[in-house]
Amino acid sequence: MEPLERLEKLLDKEQFEKIKAIDNPQLHAFLADWIEWLGPDRVFVCTDSEEDERYVKWKALYYEEEKMLETPNHTVHYDNYYDQARDKANTAVLVPKGKKLPYVDTKDREESLKEIRELMKGVMKGKELFVCFFVLGPKNSIFTIPAVQLTDSAYVAHSEFLLYRKGYEDFKRLGRNTRFLRFIHSAGELDERKTSKNLDRRRVYIDVEGDTVYSVNTQYGGNSIGLKKLAFRLTIKRAVEEGWLSEHMFLMRVNGPHGRKTYFTGAYPSMCGKTSTAMISWENIVGDDLTFILPVNGIARGANVEKGVFGIIEGINPEDDPIIWQVLHSPVEIIFSNVLVKDGKPYWNGMGIEIPDEGENHSGKWWKGKKDKEGKEIPPSHKNARFTVSLEHFPNADLEALENPCGVEIGGMIFGGRDKDTWPPVREAFNWEHGVITMGASLESETTAATLGKEGIREFNPMAILDFMSVHLGDYLRNYLEFGRKLKKIPKIFAVNYFLRDEKGNWLNHKLDKAVWLKWMELRVHGDVDAIETPIGYIPKYEDLRRLFKEVLNKEYTREAYEKQFTVRVPELLAKIERIEGIYGKLEDVPKELFQVLGEERKRLLEAREKYGDYISPFAFEGS
C-alpha cells in the first residue's frame, strides 16, 4: 500500500488533507511508518494557522503539561525531578560499526536504531501525536532548512512555536525532493505530575546519516525540543559537507559612530559571558545561541537559526539583566520551567527579591529546607530552570536582521574564554588562520566553584562547540580554515576574557567593561583606530580605551588599570600553547596549519621574552 493510502486510514479526513497538500513522497513515507509504529490514539497536524497553534497551547493546559500563572500568557511547566538537564550519558551520535569520533559520544548505528525503535513501539498508545512543521533560519532564504517534529508532548510543540518559524507552507512550496530534518519524540509514560516516568529508559539518539533525531522517556527541553541542540548536531555535519558554518554563537549588532551597524557573532562556553554580551542594552540582539554563516558572493553572511530564547533563568535580576527582566515581567507569551510558583507568581534563585518559603516547584510541594531522597536540600528553583519566549518581545531585538532572507554581513567573530591569568581582556587576530587556531580552536574555560565545586580547572572547548560535535574535530577545523579562503572580505576575529585577576585574586575587569571592548572591536572592523602589535595579536591603545570608557560608561580609565589588564603574560601563554598542542597531538587527521600557527606564536613569545622578560607591559610594544 502506498504511504498516502496508509495515511488516509491512519488520520481523520481533516488531518489527512493537510498532509496530502504537501507533495513530498519522502515525508509521506516517514509519517506513515512512524504513525503506525508509535500507535497514537489521535493525530493532529499543525499548519501555519493561528488556530492550529492555539489548539496546541490549549492541549498543553488540557493535558496538564503546563499550568496558567497569574500574568496573562504566562504558563509554568515542570519536568521530572531527575529530568532537569541534557542527558549526556544516554545521548549519542550514531555511527557505522567501528567508527570513532574524538570528543563525541557515539554508538553503533545499526544496534541503536533497533534499540530506539523497540523503546518507541506503541509508546503513544492512549495519547495524541502532534505533527509540526518548522524551518531553521529565516523563511524563504538561503539559510532555510525545513524540519518536521513528531511529539506526544504539547509542551514541546508549544515551545517550538515560540522558538522557531512555522514551516508548513515552506514544505508545500519546496516540493517533492526537499531534504528535511526529522525529529521523533515521546515523553513516554507519565506519572501523576504529568512528567516522564521511565527515566531509566531515557534515550536521545542522533542519526546524522538519516537526518533524524530520536528522543524518548524525557520532557526536558534540551532532550526533547528537536530543533534546538539536537538539530544542531545534524546541521554541523551538513555544514562541514557543504562548506559553510553552523555555530554555537550569538549574533548581535554593535552600533558604531554616525548610525553605523556592525554585526558580530560570538562563541563562549557556559559561564563565560555569552548572554550578558549579547544583551547589552544599548546594542541590539539578533540571536543568543545558534548561528548559520554562509559564504555569499565572497561575503560571510549570518542568520539566527531560531526566533526565540530558551534561556537559563537563574541569576536574572533587574540590575544585571534589565532587558530580560522587563520581558519576563511583561504579559507576553512565556513558558517558565522548573521555577518556584507561589500564588500564581514565578520565583527563581538569584532574582534579587525575596523568595517565598514555600510553594510548588520541580519537586512538587516545596518548603524551605526540604530535602530530596539523597538528602540534598532542594533550592526554590532548579539551577537549570528556564524561560521560553520569542525574540520579538525584546525591546533591543533587531527584528529586521532576524528575518532578513539574506542574513547580515558578519564584521567580526568573537571567541570568549575564561581564565584568571592568561588571555588579556580583548585582542584581535593577525588574520583568519591565526584567529581560528589560537583563539577559536584553543578556547578554554576555567570551571567555577558554583558549577563543579572545584575551581580553576581548564576545560578545552574549541569554538564552544565540543558538547555538540557530530564530526571529526579535524574535519570541523579544516572546514573553518577553508571557509575563510572562500571569502573576498574576511571577518576580523577577536578573543575576549572577562575574568582576569591580579596576584591577590581581585578582578581586573568590571562586569560592564565588555561594552567598551565591543565598541573597540567595532572600530577595528572599520579601521577607525590603530592597535598595538604583540606576539599574540593586536591589542588596543591606551588612549583609545580611555576615550571609550568615558564615552560608553562615563568612567575614568587609568594607565595602571590598562597596564595590568593588557600585560602579555609569557609563561602562561607558553603553557597554554603546550596544552593545546598536547591535546591536538593525540588526534589523527588534524590540519597541519594548526601546529604551524601555534609554533609561530611560541617563537614570537620566546623572542619577546628574550627582549623584555616574562611579563611585558603593553607600553613596551608601542615603539617596537
Side-chain angles (χ1 to χ4, degrees):
M1 198 185 295
E2 289 295 308
L4 266 180
E5 294 175 82
R6 289 155 63 200
L7 285 168
E8 195 166 12
K9 292 185 184 311
L10 291 164
L11 308 179
D12 68 35
K13 185 168 174 27
E14 184 185 354
Q15 307 309 318
F16 172 70
E17 290 299 328
K18 293 177 186 176
I19 296 298
K20 189 182 171 187
I22 300 172
D23 181 20
N24 189 317
Q26 288 181 66
L27 174 70
H28 300 156
F30 168 71
L31 292 176
D33 288 347
W34 278 98
I35 293 170
E36 284 174 352
W37 191 260
L38 297 164
D41 282 15
R42 293 170 301 287
V43 177
F44 185 80
V45 177
C46 298
T47 67
D48 294 349
S49 74
E50 291 298 318
E51 185 186 359
D52 285 0
E53 187 178 346
R54 277 197 301 272
Y55 176 85
V56 167
K57 294 173 193 172
W58 171 68
K59 280 299 179 87
L61 296 168
Y62 177 78
Y63 290 132
E64 298 179 69
E65 286 191 274
E66 295 177 38
K67 293 177 183 174
M68 294 177 75
L69 295 173
E70 182 184 61
T71 302
N73 302 311
H74 289 195
T75 59
V76 64
H77 163 81
Y78 292 114
D79 297 307
N80 186 299
Y81 184 77
Y82 297 99
D83 188 27
Q84 297 282 327
R86 281 186 288 117
D87 181 7
K88 293 185 183 182
N90 291 300
T91 298
V93 172
L94 307 187
V95 295
K97 192 180 281 296
K99 187 173 180 182
K100 289 273 187 270
L101 295 173
Y103 296 102
V104 182
D105 291 318
T106 58
K107 287 199 169 203
D108 177 84
R109 182 172 186 260
E110 201 176 318
E111 288 174 12
S112 299
L113 289 177
K114 196 183 293 181
E115 179 197 14
I116 199 79
R117 280 184 71 84
E118 280 309 307
L119 284 170
M120 287 185 146
K121 189 173 185 179
V123 74
M124 293 188 187
K125 189 170 170 47
K127 295 171 124 188
E128 182 168 13
L129 165 61
F130 301 94
V131 179
C132 305
F133 299 93
F134 298 101
V135 295
L136 298 176
K139 294 167 78 70
N140 300 322
S141 82
I142 54 172
F143 301 95
T144 303
I145 298 179
V148 59
Q149 171 84 62
L150 276 56
T151 181
D152 57 14
S153 168
Y155 155 71
V156 167
H158 181 194
S159 298
E160 290 184 328
F161 276 119
L162 296 180
L163 293 170
Y164 303 99
R165 301 157 179 99
K166 297 173 185 177
Y168 177 78
E169 291 298 327
D170 285 78
F171 268 84
K172 282 170 66 176
R173 177 180 60 80
L174 290 165
R176 292 179 73 82
N177 299 314
T178 303
R179 183 180 174 188
F180 58 92
L181 306 182
R182 306 142 197 243
F183 305 94
I184 306 157
H185 165 256
S186 173
E189 191 182 347
L190 304 181
D191 59 20
E192 64 282 354
R193 293 196 74 218
K194 309 299 180 185
T195 70
S196 295
K197 188 175 176 180
N198 301 315
L199 300 184
D200 58 320
R201 285 176 270 162
R202 178 172 52 192
R203 300 288 185 275
V204 182
Y205 288 167
I206 300 118
D207 179 20
V208 289
E209 301 299 323
D211 276 341
T212 305
V213 176
Y214 306 86
S215 169
V216 68
N217 295 315
T218 179
Q219 277 170 312
Y220 169 68
N223 299 323
S224 61
I225 297 171
L227 280 84
K228 195 147 186 79
K229 292 302 194 333
L230 304 176
F232 188 33
R233 269 79 155 212
L234 302 180
T235 59
I236 288 170
K237 183 171 188 290
R238 187 184 290 198
V240 168
E241 288 171 349
E242 297 176 356
W244 48 281
L245 304 177
S246 174
E247 296 302 306
H248 189 205
M249 290 178 159
F250 66 58
L251 180 58
M252 70 180 296
R253 186 178 96 206
V254 179
N255 299 304
H258 314 298
R260 184 170 66 201
K261 301 174 181 179
T262 308
Y263 292 90
F264 285 81
T265 61
Y268 299 55
S270 179
M271 304 292 290
C272 287
K274 183 180 182 185
T275 303
S276 61
T277 303
M279 287 291 177
I280 288 173
S281 56
W282 48 83
E283 312 297 4
N284 297 86
I285 186 167
V286 184
D288 78 317
D289 196 26
L290 301 172
T291 299
F292 288 161
I293 307 170
L294 271 63
V296 183
N297 299 325
I299 305 288
R301 300 194 69 87
N304 183 3
V305 176
E306 309 171 294
K307 72 165 186 82
V309 177
F310 176 63
I312 294 174
I313 202 167
E314 176 154 330
I316 288 176
N317 65 77
E319 187 184 346
D320 295 330
D321 314 282
I323 289 174
I324 302 177
W325 182 268
Q326 179 187 331
V327 172
L328 293 179
H329 290 81
S330 307
V332 300
E333 194 176 343
I334 303 173
I335 306 171
F336 294 85
S337 65
N338 306 315
V339 296
L340 175 68
V341 174
K342 171 74 172 170
D343 298 330
K345 292 187 175 138
Y347 297 88
W348 55 89
N349 311 332
M351 69 189 296
I353 64 171
E354 195 173 339
I355 294 176
D357 289 342
E358 43 110 26
E360 184 182 10
N361 75 357
H362 54 290
S363 71
K365 186 170 169 54
W366 177 84
W367 57 92
K368 198 172 183 178
K370 182 182 180 182
K371 294 184 177 173
D372 63 19
K373 62 186 183 189
E374 284 82 31
K376 288 191 295 193
E377 190 165 318
I378 302 168
S381 72
H382 194 273
K383 67 179 181 181
N384 198 29
R386 299 277 176 157
F387 65 93
T388 308
V389 64
S390 287
L391 265 168
E392 64 185 317
H393 303 305
F394 284 70
N396 65 331
D398 185 339
L399 297 178
E400 186 182 342
L402 178 67
E403 298 303 343
N404 189 333
C406 298
V408 294
E409 181 179 333
I410 305 299
M413 298 173 79
I414 308 166
F415 293 105
R418 182 190 187 104
D419 72 68
K420 62 183 179 292
D421 60 11
T422 308
W423 278 7
V426 64
R427 75 188 192 282
E428 175 194 330
F430 294 129
N431 51 47
W432 179 260
E433 285 78 10
H434 181 246
V436 167
I437 290 164
T438 69
M439 297 174 179
S442 301
L443 202 56
E444 291 178 304
S445 170
E446 284 186 353
T447 55
T448 64
T451 50
L452 288 181
K454 196 167 185 183
E455 199 165 356
I457 307 298
R458 286 180 166 90
E459 292 188 338
F460 171 67
N461 196 350
M463 281 75 173
I465 209 170
L466 211 54
D467 279 356
F468 314 107
M469 195 62 79
S470 57
V471 297
H472 191 288
L473 185 52
D475 293 335
Y476 170 79
L477 293 176
R478 194 172 291 107
N479 180 54
Y480 232 106
L481 293 168
E482 287 171 3
F483 181 85
R485 293 171 195 137
K486 296 175 186 172
L487 303 176
K488 290 183 292 198
K489 191 176 179 185
I490 297 175
K492 284 187 178 289
I493 296 184
F494 301 91
V496 297
N497 173 29
Y498 307 149
F499 303 95
L500 266 182
R501 297 176 187 252
D502 65 16
E503 57 282 354
K504 293 177 183 169
N506 300 311
W507 298 110
L508 292 178
N509 291 262
H510 183 271
K511 274 184 180 179
L512 266 179
D513 288 359
K514 60 175 76 78
V516 174
W517 316 142
L518 274 178
K519 292 295 193 193
W520 179 79
M521 289 185 263
E522 197 277 341
L523 295 173
R524 283 295 295 165
V525 165
H526 299 282
D528 288 354
V529 290
D530 289 332
I532 299 167
E533 186 175 335
T534 77
I536 57 169
Y538 300 109
I539 61 171
K541 291 188 161 186
Y542 168 64
E543 292 75 16
D544 293 325
L545 290 185
R546 185 177 62 176
R547 176 176 57 80
L548 287 171
F549 267 93
K550 194 71 184 163
E551 286 176 8
V552 178
L553 301 177
N554 196 25
K555 272 174 64 173
E556 297 301 327
Y557 184 61
T558 66
R559 284 174 69 88
E560 182 191 19
Y562 170 77
E563 192 164 23
K564 279 185 177 177
Q565 289 175 334
F566 289 93
T567 287
V568 174
R569 298 160 175 84
V570 177
E572 288 80 5
L573 287 160
L574 288 172
K576 181 179 178 72
I577 291 172
E578 195 171 325
R579 278 197 308 277
I580 299 303
E581 283 179 334
I583 289 166
Y584 284 106
K586 292 173 186 164
L587 304 181
E588 294 174 4
D589 202 26
V590 173
K592 63 181 186 309
E593 297 100 310
L594 186 131
F595 299 104
Q596 186 184 331
V597 169
L598 289 173
E600 288 165 357
E601 184 131 302
R602 176 190 284 108
K603 184 169 179 282
R604 289 191 299 270
L605 284 164
L606 290 171
E607 286 170 356
R609 181 166 72 179
E610 193 71 30
K611 194 170 179 182
Y612 302 112
D614 277 346
Y615 296 94
I616 310 170
S617 164
F619 295 115
F621 294 107
E622 272 200 295
S624 60

